[in-house]
Amino acid sequence: MTEKVLMKGNEAIAEAAIQAGCRFFFGYPITPQTEVAAYMARRMPKVDGLYLQAESEIAAINMVIGASAAGRRAMTSSSSPGIALKSEGLSYLAGCDLPAVIINIQRGGPGLGGIQPSQADYFHATRGAGHGDFHMIVLAPNSVQEMVDLTHAAFDLADRYRMTAMILADGILGQMMEPVSLSKPDAPDLPPKDWATTGTGGARPHNIINSLFLQPEELERTNFKRYDLYARIETHEARHEAFMLDDAEIVVAAYGACARIAKNAILAARSRGIRAGLLRPVTLWPFPKKAFAAAADTARAFVTVEMSMGQMIEDVELAIRCRRPVALCKRVGGMVPTPEEILSKIEEIAGGVR
Amino acid sequence: MHERILIAGFGGQGILFAGKFLVYANLLAGKEVSWLPSYGPEMRGGTANCSVILSDTPIGSPIVDIPDILVVMNLPSLDKFEGATAPGGRIFVDSALITRRVARADVTSVYIPATQLADANGLSGLANMVMLGKVIADCGLCRPEDLPAAMGKVVPERKRALFDKNIQALQVGAAFFG
Amino acid sequence: MQTVFERTPGLTDAILHYCPGCTHGIIHRLVAETLDELDATGRAVGIAPVGCAVMAYNYFSCDMVQAAHGRAPAVATGLKRARPDCVVFTYQGDGDLAAIGTAETVHAAARGENITVIFVNNAIYGMTGGQMAPTTIPGQVTQTSPYGRDTSVAGYPLRVCEFLATVDGVAYAERVSVDNVSHVRAAKKAIRRAFETQLAGRGFSLVEVLSTCPTNWGLDPVRALSWLRENMIPYYPLGVYKDREKDAAHGEVTGDA
C-alpha cells in the first residue's frame, strides 16, 4: 500500500487520470472544478502529456472526440453549466461508440445558478445527457479515495464498452481534502482499439468514425445493438455500498457527499433505537436496481437524500416498483442537508411506519 | 477522539493553510482527517473558512455545522458561527482584531491577540499559526513531534525561512497565557 | 490494354451523392490526388463536416471521422495532438466553418494547429435546401433571404481568408475557385501547398474554394459557373492571403499585400 497523501478531490481525479494513462486533457475553467484543469496544466508536461485549454466546453469535448478517435485515453472536466454545453459532444461520443471520461463537479442551477455543491444534474447524467437514445456509465464517488478509484475504473469501463464514463461528483467532493492512497491500477485486459482512425498505412480498409445513418433500418439496428450492450452493462457493472443495511427498517438512499452526511444521521438514528441503514449507489447508471429490490423485501420505507428537487428518487421508486413509500429529504441551490435534517426525516418516517 | 473544528476569518489570513497544517499533523499521527474549504469569491478578500475533522473513526460528513472548536480571526466570523458552536465547545478569538467578547456562557472562550503577537515577534502575516499554536496546545490536537514533519508537507523545502517562522509562530501561540 | 486514366486511390469507388454540376466532386478529387501525390493517404485522417459533404467519409479512402456541425477543427485538434504523425484535414462548408463553427475555426487557427482546412464556400446552405449562409453575398436571394440579402437586417458576409490572415497562428491561407480549368489547376496547387505546410510542421493552413450550388442557386451547371465568376469572385478575390514562409523569405510584413 502506498503512503497516504492529502489531496483535494479535484486534484485526485486529475492524478488518477494520469495514472490510468490519460495523456490528453482538454479543459475550460469553471468553478468548482478548476483545480482539475490547473493540476493537469502543471502535471501533463512532466509526463509527456497534453493539457490544452479549449475556447469553450464544446470545443473541449470535441477535442476529446478527436483524441479518442485516434485511440488515446482522453478526458475533459467541467461543472454543470459547462457540462450542458458538452451535451452535443456526449451524444456524438455515444453515436460514434467512442470511449471518453468526463468529469462533472456539480454546482447549483438552473442557468448560471451558483457555485456551491449540488446534485441537480442527476437527470442529465442518467437520462438526458444529450439528444437521442443513449446512456453513459455514471460513477458517483463519495470520498477523495473513490475519486481516484472510480477515475481508474472509468477509463477501463470506457475502453471496455466503447462509451463515455462520467464521474458525477459535487463541489464538496471536488474541494475537500482527505488522505488518499494513489496506488497504481493494474493494467486490465482490454480489447484492442482496431477501430481507431490513425491512418490506414495502406494496409487495411479505411476506418470511419461516424454517427450518421440515413437509412432508418440501419439506425434502428445500431440503436438496438447499443442497447443490447447496455443490458449487459446493467447486469455486470452496477455497484453499490451497503451500510448497516441488513436489519434496516428505514433505508436511506443517497450518493456522493449526501451519502456521507446520511451516515452521520444513520448512526444518530441507531443510537435512538431506529434501525436505519444506507444504500448508496456507486454507479448511478447502471442503477443498482437489484440491491434496491432486495432492500425493499425487508425495509418498511425509503428516504432519498439529495441536493436536488428529487431526481434519484425516481430511480429508487422504479427499482422497488413502488412497493414501499419513498420520502425525499432535499436541499438545493448550493445548500447542503445537515445530519440533523436527515435524522428528523428518518424519525418522522419511523414514527409513521411503526 | 472526534473533533469538529471550524477556522474562519478573512481571505488572505491563512485560514485554509492553518487547517491544512492541522490535518497533515493528524494524518501523520494515524488519525482520520478531512478538510473542506469554503470556496468561490470569498477567497478574494471576503470571509473564508474551513471545516476540519480529526477522528479515530471514519469520517462521515466533512462539513462542520456544529464546531466543537471554533477559531475566529474576524468579527463577521464570530457573529456568524458563535451560535452554532456545540455546548461545552471552545471558541478561540484573535482579540487583536475582534474587540467584542463571546456572548455564549456554555462554551470556553480563549482570547489571543494573535495578530499583535505575530507582529511583535517579527512574524507578520502568521497570526493564523499563532492562533493554531494556542489551539493545539489547549486542546491537545497533535503530537509535538509531528509538527515539523507536518510543516514540511505544507511549506516547500526551498522556503526554509518560512518553515522556521511558521514553527516559531506555533510556539508563540502555545506559550501564550491570556 | 493501356490505362490512360484512373480513379485516384485516395478516393473510394463509392458513387458521389452530390447534385449534377456541384463542384464538391472536383474538390474531393483535388484533395485525394494531392494526398496520393504526397504519399500521405496512408497516414491521413479526414474530418467530415455537417452539410453537403457530411458523407465525405465514404468518399475518401483514408481514415475518416464525422464531426458535429462546426466542430471539425476541434476534433482535428484532438486527433492531431494525439497523433502528430497523421496528416489531418477538415473538409467544411461555409455554414459549418463560418457560422456555427466560427469559434472552433478561429481558435484552431489562433493556436496554430498543424492541420489543413479545406473550406468550401458556395454562399448558401446546400444540405438543408438553400438558406442564407454567412457567406451569402449582399442581394443574393436564398430561401431565408427571399428578397435578397438585406445587409441592414442580415448584416454582411464574412471574408474568411482575409480575417484569418491576421491571425498569427495561420501559416497559409489562400482563396481559389474551381469555375474553370486554369482555376482548378491553381486550386490543386494551393491544396498541395497547404498540405506541404502541414507536413513541414508550419501550422494552420486553409484553402478556401469558391464552389457552385446549381440546385439551390436555381441555375444550370454552366450558368452557375458564370454566376460564381460574376458575383462571387468580385466579392471574394482569389489569391494567397498569407504564406508565412514565403512572406518571411521576401521580407514582407503580414498584411501589406
Side-chain angles (χ1 to χ4, degrees), chain A residues 42-350:
Chain A
R42 276 201 311 278
R43 277 282 284 149
M44 276 298 194
K46 316 246 182 207
V47 293
D48 290 329
L50 173 74
Y51 165 81
L52 191 62
Q53 191 152 315
E55 61 272 26
S56 69
E57 284 94 345
I58 300 171
I61 196 155
N62 280 281
M63 291 172 187
V64 167
I65 288 174
S68 176
R72 304 295 198 201
R73 285 190 159 180
M75 180 170 113
T76 182
S77 72
S78 192
S79 180
S80 308
I83 292 292
L85 281 171
K86 292 185 193 293
S87 290
E88 174 192 78
L90 293 173
S91 178
Y92 276 75
L93 280 163
C96 294
D97 298 312
L98 284 173
V101 173
I102 314 295
I103 311 298
N104 182 1
I105 306 297
Q106 299 168 88
R107 57 187 254 183
L112 198 49
I115 58 169
Q116 298 303 322
S118 165
Q119 295 179 322
D121 296 350
Y122 183 93
F123 279 160
H124 177 277
T126 60
R127 286 160 172 69
H131 64 283
D133 279 315
F134 75 94
H135 281 295
M136 306 184 294
I137 294 172
V138 183
L139 302 161
N142 85 331
S143 65
V144 177
Q145 186 63 55
E146 275 196 354
M147 295 288 237
V148 170
D149 299 342
L150 295 182
T151 298
H152 290 161
F155 279 99
D156 291 346
L157 289 166
D159 279 352
R160 173 158 295 126
Y161 296 112
R162 283 181 62 180
M163 62 189 286
T164 298
M166 173 179 274
I167 301 285
L168 189 69
D170 57 64
I172 296 173
L173 291 161
Q175 296 293 325
M176 72 183 288
M177 283 206 313
E178 274 188 314
V180 61
S181 163
L182 284 163
S183 51
K184 227 180 157 145
D186 295 331
D189 190 20
L190 291 168
K193 296 185 174 179
D194 50 12
W195 44 263
T197 49
T198 57
T200 63
R204 57 161 170 78
H206 65 164
N207 283 340
I208 298 173
I209 288 170
N210 173 41
S211 61
L212 179 70
F213 299 93
L214 287 176
Q215 298 303 320
E217 297 83 356
E218 203 185 353
L219 183 54
E220 185 185 52
R221 210 159 43 238
T222 62
N223 275 287
F224 281 173
K225 203 175 141 207
R226 204 170 285 126
Y227 270 69
D228 288 344
L229 176 71
Y230 292 163
R232 291 209 300 283
I233 295 169
E234 290 203 75
T235 308
H236 296 296
E237 304 295 352
R239 301 187 194 188
H240 70 278
E241 181 206 354
F243 175 73
M244 299 189 147
L245 194 63
D246 287 346
D247 64 341
E249 272 191 313
I250 311 289
V251 174
V252 179
Y255 72 96
C258 278
R260 297 178 65 121
I261 301 163
K263 276 188 183 175
N264 291 28
I266 285 162
L267 290 170
R270 289 262 168 184
S271 73
R272 294 179 189 194
I274 301 170
R275 283 183 291 152
L278 174 72
L279 183 43
R280 171 173 76 94
V282 175
T283 51
L284 302 180
W285 194 92
F287 195 73
K289 290 179 192 166
K290 277 188 189 162
F292 275 90
D297 291 340
T298 50
R300 300 175 66 181
F302 288 72
V303 52
T304 72
V305 181
E306 302 184 54
M307 290 188 278
S308 79
M309 290 304 289
Q311 300 190 14
M312 186 180 72
I313 190 170
E314 293 190 4
D315 275 335
V316 174
E317 287 172 336
L318 283 169
I320 66 168
R321 303 281 174 200
C322 294
R323 283 188 288 148
R324 300 284 179 266
V326 185
L328 173 66
C329 178
K330 65 174 188 294
R331 296 301 299 270
V332 298
M335 298 303 293
V336 179
T338 63
E340 293 71 26
E341 284 167 356
I342 301 170
L343 176 61
S344 68
K345 193 60 137 183
I346 292 171
E347 287 182 321
E348 180 191 319
I349 294 161

Side-chain angles (χ1 to χ4, degrees), chain B residues 10-175:
Chain B
F10 287 122
Q13 281 181 316
I15 299 294
L16 306 187
F17 178 89
K20 221 178 268 190
F21 171 79
L22 189 55
V23 162
Y24 254 114
N26 280 271
L27 173 64
L28 293 172
K31 302 289 182 190
E32 300 283 345
V33 296
S34 71
W35 174 93
L36 176 69
S38 59
Y39 60 86
E42 60 264 50
M43 75 193 199
R44 283 170 273 279
T47 56
N49 69 73
C50 71
S51 290
V52 170
I53 299 179
L54 313 172
S55 184
D56 293 321
T57 54
I59 294 163
S61 172
I63 300 165
V64 173
D65 297 309
I66 304 170
D68 303 306
I69 298 169
L70 174 66
V71 183
V72 285
M73 295 188 63
N74 68 1
L75 181 60
S77 296
L78 179 60
D79 291 345
K80 187 170 177 188
F81 298 116
E82 178 181 352
T85 305
R90 302 185 211 219
I91 299 181
F92 293 83
V93 178
D94 183 342
S95 55
L97 300 178
I98 304 169
T99 49
R100 85 164 170 87
R101 310 293 280 182
V102 173
R104 291 267 300 268
D106 60 343
V107 296
T108 304
S109 303
V110 183
Y111 301 91
I112 312 111
T115 299
Q116 204 177 310
L117 285 171
D119 290 348
N121 285 279
L123 300 167
S124 289
L126 294 178
N128 59 333
M129 300 307 274
V130 174
M131 289 294 288
L132 196 60
K134 180 67 174 165
V135 172
I136 289 170
D138 277 20
C139 306
L141 291 183
C142 310
R143 300 181 305 197
E145 65 267 30
D146 291 328
L147 298 183
M151 195 64 78
K153 297 281 187 187
V154 289
V155 178
E157 189 63 35
R158 59 195 157 78
K159 294 186 176 169
R160 185 71 210 179
L162 205 57
F163 180 100
D164 294 338
K165 284 192 163 184
N166 272 284
I167 293 284
Q168 200 191 333
L170 287 172
Q171 290 162 346
V172 168

